[in-house]
Amino acid sequence: MPEPTHPLPRDPAELGLESIVYEKSPPRATIRLNRPDVLNAFDFRMLREIGRACEDASWDDDVRVLVVTGTGRAFCVGADLRSWGEDLLGNSSEYWKWFGAFKDMHDRIREIGKPTIARVNGIAVGGGNELQMACDLSVMVDTAFIRHVGLQHGSVPAGGATQWLQLMVGDRRAREIVFLCDEIPAPQAVEWGLVNYAVPEDELDAVVDGWVDKLAARLPQTTRYAKQQLNVWRDLAWHQTVGHARDWLAMSMLGEEAQSAVRAFLDRSKAE
């Protein structure tokens, strides 16, 4: 598909998206991660497609709210190590490029100029939690959990978690989540401020629909600027750290610690 000549929205069917389902039903647009066989783990294409869909939604004046959700039993479990595994191990240049797509996705979501809602339909692990944290509001099915496992897999959760967890849950709890890698059940995620609500699965859409109705009734330009102002601490933490994190994580792919951890994960996956 050629690059657009003007910032005009398109019919989602024209965008050629494969890893996500992007739908527009004004006043909402919906991005649904659609790799259920790998629990909606990010591959490079998915990261790029989320960014492209966010760009289109930002250009569409009929869209007032963006909803992000997943297909199947998971919201998202972060990076798909099986999709890049050996290709990125020992290749810091390729990892740096991959992380650039992850960073761009976050920037597209945070800078979309419209309210965003995470409809967390299942577990959110690693980058999946960072994705729901990037949204303005979040409702989670009450049987799911949030977890970070980067310190077990040779990675630091520096694509949002180390920047924003302290803002949401406080310093001690942020360290607990990152260091201990324990599951945070949905009710605890609400108590800690990681999500707004945890509800039974059959109530998930009612919460989202209610938020969409309220947000769509707000003045769009005023709401856009309020979002920009509310992003001040997130942006400050993000821009001070993410470029450094991208370079450090890329270089860490040359080290024995990260390579051993990722290869152990890949070996376990093959055995399963």
Side-chain angles (χ1 to χ4, degrees):
M1 186 184 68
E3 285 295 310
T5 58
H6 297 81
L8 298 175
R10 304 282 295 272
D11 184 319
E14 298 175 1
L15 299 180
L17 306 174
E18 296 183 6
S19 294
I20 67 172
V21 176
Y22 175 50
E23 299 173 317
K24 291 193 283 190
S25 180
R28 86 174 68 185
T30 302
I31 291 174
R32 177 163 53 85
L33 312 186
N34 196 34
R35 303 182 73 224
D37 54 319
V38 290
L39 302 181
N40 299 320
F42 297 125
D43 62 2
F44 185 79
R45 184 180 185 110
M46 179 185 278
L47 295 173
R48 298 280 291 181
E49 290 186 354
I50 294 170
R52 180 64 185 94
C54 286
E55 180 180 62
D56 181 82
S58 75
W59 291 347
D60 195 329
D61 292 339
D62 292 331
V63 170
R64 305 287 289 276
V65 184
L66 175 68
V67 177
V68 182
T69 191
T71 301
R73 64 189 181 92
F75 176 69
C76 176
V77 295
D80 183 2
L81 297 185
R82 280 170 286 196
S83 77
W84 58 258
E86 293 293 340
D87 293 336
L88 273 65
L89 289 178
N91 193 333
S92 62
S93 177
E94 290 304 305
Y95 184 94
W96 187 88
K97 297 172 189 176
W98 193 95
F99 193 90
F102 187 79
K103 175 183 177 296
D104 289 345
M105 176 199 70
H106 269 295
D107 289 336
R108 293 286 190 189
I109 290 175
R110 205 177 60 261
E111 298 171 3
I112 194 173
K114 301 174 184 186
T116 52
I117 297 171
R119 179 189 177 276
V120 185
N121 57 295
I123 61 173
V125 179
N129 181 49
E130 291 172 327
L131 175 60
Q132 76 84 18
M133 290 171 70
C135 295
D136 297 302
L137 299 172
S138 181
V139 58
M140 184 177 190
V141 65
D142 61 5
T143 55
F145 62 83
I146 287 171
R147 188 182 184 196
H148 277 278
V149 293
L151 271 62
Q152 296 174 326
H153 293 161
S155 180
V156 175
T162 52
Q163 292 91 347
W164 302 329
L165 274 172
Q166 295 97 322
L167 298 174
M168 293 186 174
V169 306
D171 187 81
R172 293 294 189 188
R173 285 173 174 167
R175 293 170 191 268
E176 181 176 343
I177 292 168
V178 172
F179 287 155
L180 301 186
C181 301
D182 290 335
E183 294 180 6
I184 310 298
Q188 185 177 341
V190 175
E191 179 187 348
W192 283 13
L194 268 173
V195 298
N196 296 94
Y197 298 106
V199 299
E201 184 177 5
D202 60 3
E203 297 178 20
L204 204 58
D205 286 328
V207 174
V208 173
D209 292 347
W211 280 346
V212 169
D213 289 344
K214 289 181 180 180
L215 292 168
R218 302 295 173 258
L219 298 170
Q221 292 185 28
T222 308
T223 301
R224 183 180 68 206
Y225 186 61
K227 174 169 177 150
Q228 180 63 39
Q229 291 294 92
L230 286 167
N231 278 346
V232 60
W233 296 114
R234 292 191 188 191
D235 284 351
L236 183 64
W238 178 256
H239 291 304
Q240 283 190 332
T241 59
V242 73
H244 183 280
R246 182 182 182 186
D247 278 316
W248 185 88
L249 287 167
M251 294 302 294
S252 77
M253 289 298 107
L254 299 173
E256 178 60 29
E257 183 172 280
Q259 292 195 38
S260 295
V262 173
R263 288 199 175 101
F265 173 83
L266 297 175
D267 289 342
R268 289 195 301 271
S269 298
K270 291 176 183 176
E272 295 171 357

